[in-house]
Amino acid sequence: MAKLNIVIGGVGGQGVITMGKMLIRAVKPEYKAVASETHGLAQRGGAVNVHVRIGDVYAPLVPLGRADYVIGLEAIEGLRNIRYACDSCVLVLNNKVQRPAIPKVALPTIDELINTAKNYVKVVVLVNAEDLALKAGNVKAANTVIIGTMLAVGKLRDFVDEEVLVNSLNDVNRKALYLGMENYDIVFSK
Amino acid sequence: MGRLLLLGNESIARGALEAGLAVAAGYPGTPSTEVIETLMKEKDRYVEWSVNEKVAFETAYGAAISGAYSLVSMKHVGLNVASDALMSSSYTGVEGAMVIFSAGDPSMWSSQNEQDNRYYGLMALIPVFEPFDPQSAHDLTVKAFEFSTKVKHPVLLVSNTRVNHSRTWVDVGELKPPVWGKLVKKPQVYSLVPAIARGNREKQLKRWELITEGVKEFNTIEGDGRKLIVTAGVGYAYVKELVEGDVRILRLGVSVPLNREQVLKAVEGVEEILVVEELEPIVETQLKNILFDEGIRVKVHGKDYVPRVGELTFEKVGKAVSKFLGLPFVEVKEPEVKIPDRPPALCPGCPHRSSFVDLKRGVVKGGLNTTFFSGDIGCYSLGVLPPFNSQDSLTEMGSSLGIANGIFRATNTVPVAVIGDSTFFHNGLSGLANAVYNNLPVLVVVLDNRVTAMTGQNPSPSREIEIEDVAKGLGVEFVKAFDPFNVKESIDVISEATRWVKENKKPAVVVAKRACALDVLDKVDGELPIAVVDEKKCTGCSICYDFFTCPAITVGKDKKAVIDQVLCIGCGACVPVCPYNAISLKGDVPKGWDEVWLS
């Protein structure tokens, strides 16, 4: 039976857990779905990730090298989880580099991050998720924008029921979802 | 009856409601918090956040010895705090049902250690129920209540992060009305003076026999083969997904105690055994005991194959299972990607950030150039990180005051004890009493942000009890509060208190009072103000982003400060931090803004 493994990386407070919840809520009824979340102290502005597994699955975590999608709600956090990417992985990066709150930190640029990613994934997609979310009405809908992009690129569409997903969203998020479906750049593909 | 999308912890709460829970108490701690949070929504049951795990335990125990169905919830280290009561509960047993829920944190995502609380089951003679996913967490919780009332004994429900914080669809049943208690007096059972305790000890061992016989029904033997995998907890989920073909699996829903008869049935005709369990060799040791007793010489692999450190993963279980079954295992080479670390950080608007900055300047101004920052458990534990470096030790809830005492006695250095409001009531009171009683020169800084913030803004006793009054009541002679956002006032109060401690050789208590920023944001509606940087005034000195490190302040052209429009909440804490007055606030504050911050 089919499986879909997704690892979502982000900064605590960005809506990483909510994004996992939105995904599994919309999974087609014939599939099992489990999201494994980061809570507590680690959440406070730190690097967090959520593992979402759909299909014939029992275990909570994605195996290394087996994620069909790696998502960076913040671009550095996408790269932090690149070890989970499989050969045919779609990497979706929000076009945003957020400075960790530590002294004297050297930040990579988005282009440097994309260049590194090329060695490990099949497709790199860049989305201006915050801008699109603002356009939809709320900057916090950036995670929904990214789900829209995931529906447009890769296998997610086979596993979730788009109608269920759309019906679970309010107006702002619905708009964000559609904006994400239509506005993204495939910056690398092999 | 239906299907709900639930977190493991929500499944446990749901199971408890279906079993007839009446009284629940707990102290928040990751990854356990959502059990009580979920139960609190039910108005027909009594649910409370207690001041600490010991009180919570005794509350649930008191309910259970009067015949009620009760639950106590805490994280793994919380059971250490409640362990005195735990040991006694096993001697007396209960009249109703008592489920002790303790959530472990292998890999220490949000904890100071990764102790395996199943040892408490072995030590206290209390059976340990161990789910492997949210569905089994739900089902086992219902069964744990049934079993507890059947054997008249408390039971432990132990699960770890990846069960507690996994979310999935769960099949649920009907809710049952709460089972309350009635006043029963049995001092001959519940008053553990030596004569009674001696009798109880015998009865406890009799109940343990009954329990050992009864646990069979929670375990299953699946598949068949000459090789046996014995597994409990989340280990089963990995084994189930990894193993195909001729392997026998003994899945333990109860990992303490093992049932001899069931083990012997599972090992019949088996040539080799692998035990897959997270952390310590609890099942492995019990299994080896039984096999040795029975003279069965079969090779048992456990912690020689499955690491004792950290949570289980596909890689760890996969490697062990492959080795055991003689299959090839391809190790995934992890790419080395150079990216900056991102440790957790105090939130934008967090009053602790300002308190740490004020504290360093205040103690120096008060004449204390060398000190020891004796820290504690809470969001402010992040003060251990640069640039603050203001937690020289932090070991457990309430550690700041006791350790400060030891530091002073051994080195004669006047220490600074830093403790949060919730932690102060949890286990700080006795340390403060000791400081007064034994004349400890210590500056105690209580960071009172009005909530138990780290676990998701759970309520704190500081809302109902003034910390200044408590300190005065305990005999502290110097007690003052300050607003950490008011830098000048804060430094004055801290330096005055520091001088007082040095001169009088007694403890002083200062209380930093300002609400948790996340709690403030939850309580106000409307547009927030925002900080703006005057580029002409900003010199690029870097104090605001390198030494104050608010996540909302980043670096722009010529090292000048830039405010992140999404992250900034307009709290204004950075305004007095800039030596060049380059930061100001723009926009109006929402209704009730100042009142909520200073409530």
Side-chain angles (χ1 to χ4, degrees):
Chain A
M1 205 175 158
K3 280 182 200 179
L4 188 76
N5 288 314
I6 304 168
V7 177
I8 307 164
V11 180
Q14 268 197 309
V16 183
I17 290 178
T18 311
M19 186 169 164
K21 223 195 281 188
M22 282 195 278
L23 283 171
I24 57 171
R25 195 180 287 284
V27 164
K28 290 180 180 170
E30 64 265 37
Y31 294 119
K32 284 172 70 179
V34 57
S36 189
E37 307 171 354
T38 314
H39 292 233
L41 184 67
Q43 248 186 304
R44 298 271 175 264
V48 296
N49 68 23
V50 169
H51 292 229
V52 177
R53 309 194 66 223
I54 305 171
D56 191 19
V57 297
Y58 289 89
L61 295 177
V62 172
L64 292 174
R66 293 282 187 79
D68 303 286
Y69 286 94
V70 171
I71 310 298
L73 276 181
E74 187 277 349
I76 295 173
E77 298 313 316
L79 271 289
R80 197 182 307 284
N81 290 291
I82 206 79
R83 63 186 184 282
Y84 290 104
C86 70
D87 294 339
S88 60
C89 179
V90 175
L91 172 70
V92 183
L93 294 181
N94 181 9
N95 191 357
K96 170 187 183 146
V97 177
Q98 188 175 318
R99 186 175 185 272
I102 43 177
K104 303 189 179 163
V105 61
L107 276 193
T109 64
I110 190 87
D111 290 334
E112 285 166 355
L113 293 170
I114 291 169
N115 271 331
T116 310
K118 287 175 183 172
N119 300 316
Y120 307 105
V121 299
K122 193 173 174 208
V123 180
V124 182
V125 189
L126 196 63
V127 195
N128 291 311
E130 254 99 19
D131 291 348
L132 294 169
L134 263 176
K135 211 165 141 188
N138 189 338
V139 69
K140 285 185 180 162
N143 46 10
T144 319
V145 171
I146 303 255
I147 294 180
T149 305
M150 291 170 71
L151 284 171
V153 188
K155 292 194 287 185
L156 182 66
R157 203 173 274 276
D158 300 342
F159 291 85
V160 304
D161 186 326
E162 198 182 316
E163 205 182 310
V164 173
L165 177 65
V166 169
N167 289 337
S168 73
L169 302 175
N170 63 16
D171 284 348
V172 170
N173 278 283
R174 212 171 291 160
K175 226 187 256 177
L177 186 82
Y178 291 129
L179 285 169
M181 270 186 213
E182 287 151 15
N183 301 277
Y184 56 85
D185 286 320
I186 296 186
V187 291
F188 172 76
S189 178
K190 73 177 165 200
Chain B
M1 180 208 127
R3 209 163 155 252
L4 298 172
L5 185 59
L6 297 178
L7 206 58
N9 283 342
E10 293 166 345
S11 314
I12 289 168
R14 174 77 196 193
L17 295 170
E18 289 174 25
L21 174 93
V23 175
Y27 186 81
T30 310
S32 72
T33 313
E34 298 81 5
V35 171
I36 294 291
E37 279 179 347
T38 307
L39 291 174
M40 259 184 180
K41 293 172 194 151
E42 304 298 319
K43 297 298 166 216
D44 60 337
R45 332 261 169 159
Y46 179 78
V47 185
E48 76 167 36
W49 285 123
S50 306
V51 292
N52 68 23
E53 294 86 355
K54 179 177 181 286
V55 176
F57 190 104
E58 289 156 348
T59 302
Y61 174 73
I65 69 171
S66 54
Y69 280 25
S70 72
L71 176 141
V72 59
S73 167
M74 63 198 77
K75 69 184 292 176
H76 58 329
V77 289
L79 199 50
N80 301 333
V81 178
S83 60
D84 203 351
L86 174 86
M87 296 305 294
S88 294
S89 72
S90 170
Y91 270 57
T92 64
V94 296
E95 307 291 323
M98 179 174 184
V99 173
I100 305 155
F101 168 60
S102 147
D105 189 14
S107 290
M108 296 166 271
W109 298 109
S110 197
S111 305
Q112 66 266 39
N113 76 24
E114 58 175 7
Q115 70 184 46
D116 191 332
N117 274 7
R118 296 177 303 167
Y119 275 128
Y120 273 119
L122 289 171
M123 180 160 84
L125 301 185
I126 293 180
V128 177
F129 286 68
E130 206 181 341
F132 65 89
D133 70 356
Q135 181 71 58
S136 67
H138 166 274
D139 302 348
L140 271 184
T141 303
V142 177
K143 288 178 183 165
F145 274 93
E146 286 168 3
F147 193 64
S148 175
T149 194
K150 188 174 137 193
V151 294
K152 300 284 173 218
H153 201 76
V155 303
L156 265 161
L157 178 66
V158 171
S159 63
N160 294 338
T161 305
R162 299 301 173 183
V163 172
N164 306 124
H165 287 163
S166 281
R167 193 184 298 274
T168 190
W169 292 98
V170 175
D171 293 322
V172 298
E174 302 272 358
L175 300 189
K176 260 198 205 141
V179 180
W180 301 98
K182 59 175 194 291
L183 196 61
V184 194
K185 292 197 187 198
K186 287 191 188 167
Q188 71 280 14
V189 177
Y190 295 106
S191 298
L192 290 181
V193 291
I196 294 173
R198 280 183 208 116
N200 278 356
R201 174 74 170 136
E202 303 285 343
K203 289 177 201 144
Q204 176 200 37
L205 289 171
K206 287 222 171 73
R207 279 199 303 276
W208 190 238
E209 273 175 34
L210 200 69
I211 288 164
T212 309
E213 178 57 30
V215 296
K216 273 188 291 194
E217 61 168 306
F218 308 112
N219 310 324
T220 53
I221 300 171
E222 300 170 15
D224 207 3
R226 314 288 276 178
K227 297 212 172 197
L228 170 72
I229 297 178
V230 182
T231 181
V234 79
Y236 174 74
Y238 287 104
V239 168
K240 183 85 180 154
E241 201 167 329
L242 280 159
V243 174
E244 283 166 12
D246 304 330
V247 182
R248 198 182 298 177
I249 298 172
L250 171 60
R251 178 180 65 78
L252 298 169
V254 171
S255 50
V256 175
L258 293 197
N259 177 283
R260 182 174 300 250
E261 193 189 325
Q262 192 169 41
V263 165
L264 294 178
K265 200 173 154 210
V267 301
E268 216 172 52
V270 161
E271 286 162 358
E272 210 174 1
I273 301 171
L274 171 68
V275 182
V276 178
E277 58 188 324
E278 215 158 29
L279 298 175
E280 297 293 308
I282 306 287
V283 170
E284 183 185 342
T285 311
Q286 296 178 82
L287 178 68
K288 284 175 172 171
N289 252 335
I290 293 174
L291 296 180
F292 185 87
D293 275 359
E294 298 290 331
I296 298 171
R297 297 293 295 154
V298 52
K299 183 73 192 162
V300 179
H301 295 286
K303 290 299 150 187
D304 54 338
Y305 278 22
V306 184
R308 198 167 180 165
V309 179
E311 66 181 6
L312 292 181
T313 59
F314 264 107
E315 293 67 38
K316 288 177 187 171
V317 181
K319 206 170 164 179
V321 166
S322 304
K323 212 165 155 187
F324 178 62
L325 299 178
L327 300 171
F329 178 75
V330 188
E331 216 154 327
V332 179
K333 207 171 153 256
E334 290 198 41
E336 278 176 42
V337 180
K338 272 193 193 140
I339 43 171
D341 287 341
R342 191 187 304 275
L346 299 170
C347 306
C350 177
H352 299 332
R353 175 180 295 104
S354 300
S355 292
F356 282 128
V357 172
D358 302 339
L359 178 60
K360 277 207 162 167
R361 293 170 64 182
V363 291
V364 171
K365 196 179 167 202
L368 198 60
N369 291 315
T370 308
T371 188
F372 183 92
F373 290 102
S374 187
D376 228 302
I377 307 279
C379 284
Y380 51 90
S381 296
L382 295 173
V384 71
L385 298 170
F388 310 111
N389 307 313
S390 297
Q391 300 269 283
D392 292 319
S393 68
L394 67 101
T395 55
E396 81 284 340
M397 294 289 286
S399 63
S400 57
L401 283 144
I403 289 180
N405 193 22
I407 294 290
F408 176 74
R409 303 305 169 196
T411 67
N412 228 26
T413 303
V414 172
V416 175
V418 181
I419 186 167
D421 53 316
S422 187
T423 310
F424 178 78
F425 286 105
H426 176 287
N427 235 335
L429 295 170
S430 44
L432 185 59
N434 189 64
V436 175
Y437 171 43
N438 285 306
N439 280 326
L440 173 68
V442 59
L443 174 64
V444 181
V445 185
V446 185
L447 302 176
D448 180 5
N449 65 355
R450 328 297 291 144
V451 285
T452 313
M454 193 164 105
T455 47
Q457 298 99 57
N458 308 108
S460 158
S462 59
R463 287 269 172 194
E464 305 295 330
I465 316 166
E466 282 293 338
I467 289 167
E468 295 96 300
D469 293 345
V470 174
K472 282 178 202 156
L474 281 174
V476 179
E477 292 165 36
F478 187 108
V479 181
K480 269 192 183 174
F482 64 91
D483 170 9
F485 277 14
N486 185 337
V487 177
K488 195 184 165 301
E489 179 208 46
S490 304
I491 292 174
D492 284 349
V493 169
I494 293 165
S495 61
E496 189 195 344
T498 307
R499 273 193 302 273
W500 191 90
V501 169
K502 287 179 67 177
E503 277 160 23
N504 295 280
K505 307 265 184 291
K506 288 177 183 174
V509 172
V510 292
V511 186
K513 264 193 151 50
R514 190 166 260 269
C516 165
L518 296 180
D519 210 37
V520 170
L521 295 180
D522 281 349
K523 285 179 179 158
V524 296
D525 284 321
E527 289 256 321
L528 301 174
I530 193 159
V532 286
V533 178
D534 183 341
E535 280 197 36
K536 286 189 202 108
K537 287 188 186 166
C538 177
T539 65
C541 75
S542 89
I543 283 178
C544 59
Y545 51 80
D546 276 343
F547 299 95
F548 188 62
T549 57
C550 174
I553 309 177
T554 65
V555 199
K557 226 179 107 210
D558 301 330
K559 298 179 105 185
K560 286 180 197 267
V562 177
I563 307 293
D564 185 315
Q565 305 282 311
V566 177
L567 294 178
C568 178
I569 63 162
C571 71
C574 56
V575 174
V577 170
C578 176
Y580 303 99
N581 298 318
I583 310 179
S584 58
L585 283 184
K586 194 179 76 181
D588 296 327
V589 299
K591 206 172 150 238
W593 181 246
D594 292 327
E595 291 79 1
V596 177
W597 277 107
L598 294 170
S599 63

